Amino acid sequence: MRVLSKMPYELSSISQEARLDKNENPYDPPPGMTEELRMALSSIKLNRYPDQEATALRRALSDHSGFPADWITVGNGGDELISYLMTAFIPPGGCLMTLSPSFSGYKHQSRALGVRTSEVPLEYRGGSIFLDREKLIDRLAASSPDLVIIDRPNNPTGLSLPLDLLKEIASLTRGILAVDEAYVEFGGGSFFDVPGELPGNVFVLRTFSKAWGLAGLRVGWGVCRPAVREKIERIRAPFNVGVFPQEAARIALGYSEWMRARVGRISYTRDRFVEEVNRLPGWKAFPSSANFVLLHSLNPKELILKTFRHRGVHARFPAMGPLSEMSGAWVRVGIGLEEEMGRVLEALKDLSAGA
Ligand code: PMP
């Protein structure tokens, strides 16, 4: 009885929380997909190990991407593939190069593996965040990394570096270039669109967690030439992607039109949100090619946190590398439903009024 009487309160408090701290997709899968997933669950054999080669999923990804199946690797989320890239390509004493700031997972994995990292700073000038191209090229020559990982769009800034710069990095580095396209469906174009063949030292990372709205499934995938894939295959855990995630991701690929429509809606919400924030005194929103937006305010972090909490908004205060030296606070807000973004705007207005 006690449990029952508590339920309505707990449910309503959950629905009022705007969870915008993990860059998740706010939309549920379409009913057709949910039905197919249910049917898949009743027919798959959970007493058996998954197909070690993820044959059906890789074939479907091949149809989806236009690359041969033996260029495709799947992982337990993009996270696992990032860890494999570091293990496969960075020898003891070797070096990883990333942007700073960038996805916190790179630091997490490189620390766990004891990998030395050379970070190229993003800079702030004249109201914009940008990368100094020359600095990156100089650093590439000086630190001679075994692996370069560029998140494009960059998490947490939303910045999408020019494709020709990525191509230049690929041609200049002696190591592997991993282009992390976790958010690519939301804008900025893909490395796949670069004319010519995929260079022999490039690995392009994708995930089902963002645009596809399947973060809980934990499926990521990557495209590279077979010689690179071969090195990853040597260290990959044989059954790294479960029976159901393999099948569910394959089913999801049949709903790419739905995915694109949702991405369009999220991108529209994002662009309107950026405009609205930039009308508020004391707040700045940076243009984003992803499903999140980076904000800056002169309010202290503690006050922002308290105000957001009051409105039931969860956001992320990301590590900003050298940009953290600027006064004020940086906040990364995922793009949720219109109503949720309205709630964020109310919180920002509360803070503007008090400024
Ligand atoms: N790359 C970037 C830039 C990310 O922000 C994330 C997750 N937030 C990932 C990769 C990993 O995503 P997942 O493991 O869910 O595929």
Side-chain angles (χ1 to χ4, degrees):
M1 276 313 279
R2 266 183 73 210
V3 171
L4 275 179
S5 64
K6 270 179 81 177
M7 262 177 66
Y9 168 73
E10 286 184 345
L11 283 179
S12 66
S13 73
I14 287 169
S15 66
Q16 278 165 21
E17 298 291 304
R19 300 199 169 273
L20 308 174
D21 53 339
K22 295 193 186 72
N23 303 339
E24 292 155 334
N25 190 318
Y27 296 103
D28 290 328
M33 194 202 298
T34 309
E35 188 48 36
E36 275 199 71
L37 296 178
R38 200 168 290 141
M39 275 158 57
L41 247 188
S42 63
S43 63
I44 56 178
K45 294 222 160 284
L46 290 172
N47 59 320
R48 302 289 175 197
Y49 281 103
D51 170 12
Q52 187 164 332
E53 301 298 327
T55 315
L57 173 56
R58 286 178 40 245
R59 202 172 286 148
L61 285 166
S62 166
D63 292 342
H64 172 75
S65 66
F67 289 95
D70 65 347
W71 289 37
I72 294 170
T73 309
V74 292
N76 188 272
D79 280 344
E80 188 187 41
L81 294 174
I82 291 165
S83 170
Y84 285 166
L85 286 165
M86 293 186 195
T87 309
F89 298 108
I90 309 181
C95 176
L96 166 71
M97 181 185 273
T98 60
L99 303 177
S100 178
S102 61
F103 172 41
S104 59
Y106 307 151
K107 203 160 259 173
H108 177 81
Q109 305 280 8
S110 60
R111 277 204 192 121
L113 297 168
V115 165
R116 183 166 54 88
T117 307
S118 170
E119 294 182 326
V120 182
L122 295 180
E123 298 175 41
Y124 177 85
R125 204 179 302 144
S128 311
I129 294 173
F130 68 98
L131 176 87
D132 184 327
R133 218 178 158 115
E134 297 303 314
K135 257 187 212 161
L136 183 137
I137 302 295
D138 289 351
R139 184 68 70 85
L140 196 61
S143 55
S144 186
D146 299 279
L147 173 68
V148 181
I149 308 184
I150 306 277
D151 43 357
R152 184 182 182 282
N154 169 258
N155 175 6
T157 64
L159 181 74
S160 202
L161 291 183
L163 281 172
D164 69 325
L165 174 59
L166 274 281
K167 212 176 164 199
E168 196 179 352
I169 298 171
S171 70
L172 292 176
T173 184
R174 64 166 184 92
I176 298 288
L177 168 64
V179 185
D180 181 347
E181 297 193 344
Y183 301 96
V184 75
E185 294 88 349
F186 298 98
S190 168
F191 198 91
F192 292 161
D193 304 330
V194 170
E197 299 254 284
L198 191 72
N201 63 341
V202 169
F203 183 95
V204 179
L205 180 70
R206 294 286 187 95
T207 181
F208 282 89
S209 299
K210 310 296 178 182
W212 294 95
L214 295 168
L217 207 57
R218 311 304 303 129
V219 182
W221 56 289
V223 176
C224 61
R225 299 217 166 216
V228 172
R229 178 165 179 262
E230 164 64 20
K231 295 213 170 78
I232 298 171
E233 282 298 297
R234 263 186 235 153
I235 56 149
R236 183 176 65 81
F239 305 114
N240 61 327
V241 182
V243 179
F244 183 68
Q246 281 191 31
E247 183 58 6
R250 191 193 63 75
I251 289 168
L253 288 170
Y255 292 83
S256 53
E257 249 171 62
W258 170 86
M259 181 275 280
R260 274 191 281 274
R262 285 294 184 238
V263 161
R265 180 124 166 218
I266 292 166
S267 307
Y268 175 76
T269 306
R270 172 196 67 201
D271 295 343
R272 277 191 34 206
F273 176 71
V274 169
E275 277 174 25
E276 301 252 1
V277 173
N278 284 330
R279 278 195 210 115
L280 296 176
W283 283 96
K284 177 161 179 61
F286 293 86
S288 169
S289 307
N291 68 339
F292 56 82
V293 171
L294 182 68
L295 310 180
H296 183 263
S297 160
L298 288 177
N299 283 290
K301 175 181 164 184
E302 293 67 33
L303 182 61
I304 300 174
L305 197 58
K306 205 171 136 208
T307 312
F308 274 29
R309 235 184 238 146
H310 178 69
R311 296 266 179 192
V313 172
H314 299 251
R316 177 93 189 246
F317 294 85
M320 289 300 292
L323 296 177
S324 59
E325 282 161 23
M326 273 172 64
S327 53
W330 296 95
V331 191
R332 191 195 70 196
V333 181
I335 301 300
L337 304 172
E338 297 276 344
E339 178 276 317
E340 293 175 311
M341 302 324 288
R343 198 123 47 97
V344 179
L345 284 168
E346 289 306 315
L348 301 187
K349 277 179 201 157
D350 292 347
L351 288 152
S352 283

Short mmCIF file of all heavy atoms in Angstrom, two decimals, residues 22-23 76-80 82 103 106 151 153 155 180 182-183 205-210 215 218-220, ligand 1:
data_model
loop_
_atom_site.label_atom_id
_atom_site.label_comp_id
_atom_site.label_asym_id
_atom_site.label_seq_id
_atom_site.Cartn_x
_atom_site.Cartn_y
_atom_site.Cartn_z
N LYS A 22 22.93 14.80 -20.78
CA LYS A 22 23.70 13.73 -21.45
C LYS A 22 23.54 13.73 -22.95
O LYS A 22 23.87 12.75 -23.61
CB LYS A 22 23.31 12.38 -20.87
CG LYS A 22 23.67 12.19 -19.40
CD LYS A 22 23.56 10.74 -18.99
CE LYS A 22 23.78 10.57 -17.50
NZ LYS A 22 22.62 11.10 -16.73
N ASN A 23 23.03 14.80 -23.50
CA ASN A 23 22.86 14.91 -24.96
C ASN A 23 22.05 13.75 -25.54
O ASN A 23 22.38 13.22 -26.61
CB ASN A 23 24.21 15.00 -25.67
CG ASN A 23 25.05 16.15 -25.17
OD1 ASN A 23 24.52 17.10 -24.61
ND2 ASN A 23 26.36 16.07 -25.37
N ASN A 76 30.21 -1.83 -28.30
CA ASN A 76 29.27 -1.59 -27.22
C ASN A 76 29.25 -0.08 -26.93
O ASN A 76 29.90 0.42 -26.02
CB ASN A 76 29.76 -2.38 -25.99
CG ASN A 76 28.77 -2.37 -24.87
OD1 ASN A 76 28.76 -1.48 -24.03
ND2 ASN A 76 27.90 -3.33 -24.86
N GLY A 77 28.56 0.64 -27.81
CA GLY A 77 28.59 2.10 -27.79
C GLY A 77 29.87 2.58 -28.47
O GLY A 77 30.83 1.81 -28.64
N GLY A 78 29.85 3.87 -28.86
CA GLY A 78 31.07 4.46 -29.41
C GLY A 78 32.20 4.40 -28.39
O GLY A 78 33.37 4.26 -28.74
N ASP A 79 31.82 4.48 -27.11
CA ASP A 79 32.81 4.44 -26.02
C ASP A 79 33.77 3.26 -26.16
O ASP A 79 34.98 3.41 -25.98
CB ASP A 79 32.09 4.26 -24.67
CG ASP A 79 31.52 5.57 -24.15
OD1 ASP A 79 31.92 6.64 -24.66
OD2 ASP A 79 30.68 5.52 -23.24
N GLU A 80 33.21 2.08 -26.43
CA GLU A 80 34.07 0.90 -26.51
C GLU A 80 35.03 1.01 -27.70
O GLU A 80 36.20 0.64 -27.60
CB GLU A 80 33.23 -0.38 -26.65
CG GLU A 80 34.10 -1.62 -26.53
CD GLU A 80 33.37 -2.91 -26.82
OE1 GLU A 80 32.55 -2.95 -27.77
OE2 GLU A 80 33.61 -3.89 -26.11
N ILE A 82 36.23 3.72 -28.95
CA ILE A 82 37.27 4.71 -28.59
C ILE A 82 38.36 4.01 -27.77
O ILE A 82 39.56 4.17 -28.01
CB ILE A 82 36.65 5.89 -27.80
CG1 ILE A 82 35.75 6.72 -28.74
CG2 ILE A 82 37.73 6.76 -27.16
CD1 ILE A 82 34.82 7.69 -28.03
N PHE A 103 35.20 15.65 -25.86
CA PHE A 103 34.39 14.64 -25.15
C PHE A 103 35.16 14.07 -23.95
O PHE A 103 36.30 13.59 -24.11
CB PHE A 103 34.02 13.53 -26.15
CG PHE A 103 33.34 12.33 -25.55
CD1 PHE A 103 32.36 12.47 -24.56
CD2 PHE A 103 33.67 11.06 -25.98
CE1 PHE A 103 31.74 11.37 -24.01
CE2 PHE A 103 33.04 9.94 -25.44
CZ PHE A 103 32.09 10.10 -24.46
N TYR A 106 37.28 10.70 -23.76
CA TYR A 106 38.67 10.49 -24.22
C TYR A 106 39.61 10.50 -23.04
O TYR A 106 40.52 9.68 -22.93
CB TYR A 106 39.10 11.59 -25.22
CG TYR A 106 38.20 11.81 -26.41
CD1 TYR A 106 38.12 13.05 -27.02
CD2 TYR A 106 37.42 10.78 -26.92
CE1 TYR A 106 37.29 13.27 -28.11
CE2 TYR A 106 36.59 10.99 -28.01
CZ TYR A 106 36.52 12.24 -28.59
OH TYR A 106 35.68 12.45 -29.66
N ASP A 151 36.53 15.18 -32.23
CA ASP A 151 35.07 15.05 -32.23
C ASP A 151 34.51 16.18 -33.09
O ASP A 151 34.77 17.35 -32.88
CB ASP A 151 34.45 15.01 -30.82
CG ASP A 151 35.04 16.01 -29.84
OD1 ASP A 151 35.99 16.74 -30.20
OD2 ASP A 151 34.54 16.07 -28.70
N PRO A 153 30.82 17.13 -34.83
CA PRO A 153 30.93 18.30 -33.97
C PRO A 153 31.63 18.00 -32.64
O PRO A 153 31.54 16.88 -32.13
CB PRO A 153 29.48 18.72 -33.71
CG PRO A 153 28.67 18.08 -34.79
CD PRO A 153 29.40 16.85 -35.20
N ASN A 155 32.24 18.14 -28.73
CA ASN A 155 31.49 18.15 -27.48
C ASN A 155 32.44 18.73 -26.43
O ASN A 155 33.50 18.14 -26.21
CB ASN A 155 31.09 16.71 -27.13
CG ASN A 155 30.42 16.59 -25.78
OD1 ASN A 155 30.14 17.58 -25.13
ND2 ASN A 155 30.18 15.36 -25.35
N ASP A 180 35.36 11.51 -34.85
CA ASP A 180 34.25 11.08 -34.01
C ASP A 180 32.99 11.85 -34.43
O ASP A 180 32.82 13.01 -34.09
CB ASP A 180 34.60 11.33 -32.54
CG ASP A 180 33.51 10.88 -31.59
OD1 ASP A 180 32.38 10.60 -32.04
OD2 ASP A 180 33.79 10.83 -30.37
N ALA A 182 29.81 11.35 -33.59
CA ALA A 182 28.68 10.94 -32.75
C ALA A 182 27.43 11.79 -33.01
O ALA A 182 26.32 11.31 -32.89
CB ALA A 182 29.07 11.01 -31.28
N TYR A 183 27.64 13.08 -33.37
CA TYR A 183 26.50 14.01 -33.52
C TYR A 183 26.28 14.44 -34.97
O TYR A 183 25.56 15.40 -35.22
CB TYR A 183 26.75 15.26 -32.67
CG TYR A 183 26.91 14.94 -31.20
CD1 TYR A 183 28.18 14.79 -30.64
CD2 TYR A 183 25.80 14.77 -30.38
CE1 TYR A 183 28.33 14.48 -29.30
CE2 TYR A 183 25.94 14.46 -29.04
CZ TYR A 183 27.21 14.32 -28.51
OH TYR A 183 27.36 14.00 -27.18
N LEU A 205 33.86 7.36 -36.67
CA LEU A 205 33.05 6.76 -35.60
C LEU A 205 31.61 7.29 -35.64
O LEU A 205 31.39 8.50 -35.77
CB LEU A 205 33.69 7.10 -34.25
CG LEU A 205 32.98 6.57 -33.00
CD1 LEU A 205 33.12 5.06 -32.90
CD2 LEU A 205 33.54 7.23 -31.74
N ARG A 206 30.66 6.41 -35.50
CA ARG A 206 29.24 6.78 -35.46
C ARG A 206 28.57 6.07 -34.26
O ARG A 206 29.13 5.12 -33.71
CB ARG A 206 28.53 6.32 -36.74
CG ARG A 206 29.00 7.04 -38.01
CD ARG A 206 28.46 8.45 -38.02
NE ARG A 206 28.72 9.15 -39.26
CZ ARG A 206 27.86 9.22 -40.29
NH1 ARG A 206 26.71 8.59 -40.26
NH2 ARG A 206 28.18 9.94 -41.36
N THR A 207 27.37 6.49 -33.93
CA THR A 207 26.66 5.85 -32.81
C THR A 207 25.15 5.85 -33.02
O THR A 207 24.63 6.71 -33.75
CB THR A 207 26.99 6.57 -31.47
OG1 THR A 207 26.30 5.92 -30.41
CG2 THR A 207 26.57 8.04 -31.48
N PHE A 208 24.49 4.91 -32.37
CA PHE A 208 23.02 4.89 -32.37
C PHE A 208 22.46 5.69 -31.19
O PHE A 208 21.25 5.75 -30.98
CB PHE A 208 22.51 3.44 -32.30
CG PHE A 208 22.58 2.72 -33.62
CD1 PHE A 208 23.73 2.01 -33.99
CD2 PHE A 208 21.52 2.75 -34.50
CE1 PHE A 208 23.81 1.37 -35.21
CE2 PHE A 208 21.58 2.10 -35.73
CZ PHE A 208 22.72 1.41 -36.09
N SER A 209 23.35 6.28 -30.38
CA SER A 209 22.92 6.90 -29.12
C SER A 209 22.27 8.27 -29.27
O SER A 209 21.54 8.69 -28.38
CB SER A 209 24.11 7.06 -28.18
OG SER A 209 24.67 5.83 -27.86
N LYS A 210 22.55 8.99 -30.34
CA LYS A 210 22.12 10.39 -30.41
C LYS A 210 20.96 10.56 -31.39
O LYS A 210 19.82 10.57 -30.97
CB LYS A 210 23.32 11.27 -30.78
CG LYS A 210 24.56 11.03 -29.92
CD LYS A 210 24.34 11.38 -28.48
CE LYS A 210 25.57 11.09 -27.64
NZ LYS A 210 25.37 11.37 -26.22
N ALA A 215 20.33 5.43 -26.96
CA ALA A 215 21.50 5.46 -26.07
C ALA A 215 21.54 4.25 -25.14
O ALA A 215 22.61 3.74 -24.81
CB ALA A 215 21.52 6.76 -25.27
N ARG A 218 23.35 0.83 -26.41
CA ARG A 218 24.81 0.77 -26.44
C ARG A 218 25.32 0.12 -27.74
O ARG A 218 25.91 -0.97 -27.71
CB ARG A 218 25.39 0.02 -25.21
CG ARG A 218 24.88 0.45 -23.86
CD ARG A 218 25.05 1.93 -23.59
NE ARG A 218 26.42 2.36 -23.68
CZ ARG A 218 26.82 3.42 -24.42
NH1 ARG A 218 25.96 4.15 -25.09
NH2 ARG A 218 28.09 3.76 -24.44
N VAL A 219 25.09 0.79 -28.85
CA VAL A 219 25.68 0.32 -30.11
C VAL A 219 26.36 1.49 -30.82
O VAL A 219 25.73 2.52 -31.08
CB VAL A 219 24.66 -0.33 -31.07
CG1 VAL A 219 25.36 -0.84 -32.33
CG2 VAL A 219 23.94 -1.49 -30.39
N GLY A 220 27.64 1.32 -31.09
CA GLY A 220 28.38 2.28 -31.91
C GLY A 220 28.98 1.53 -33.08
O GLY A 220 29.03 0.29 -33.08
N1 PMP B 1 31.71 10.70 -28.91
C1 PMP B 1 31.22 11.83 -28.41
C2 PMP B 1 31.73 13.13 -28.93
C3 PMP B 1 30.25 11.79 -27.41
O1 PMP B 1 29.78 12.95 -26.91
C4 PMP B 1 29.79 10.53 -26.94
C5 PMP B 1 28.75 10.39 -25.85
N2 PMP B 1 28.26 11.46 -25.26
C6 PMP B 1 30.34 9.39 -27.50
C7 PMP B 1 31.30 9.50 -28.48
C8 PMP B 1 29.97 8.01 -27.03
O2 PMP B 1 28.66 7.69 -27.26
P1 PMP B 1 28.11 6.23 -27.10
O3 PMP B 1 29.10 5.44 -26.28
O4 PMP B 1 26.80 6.38 -26.42
O5 PMP B 1 28.00 5.69 -28.50
#
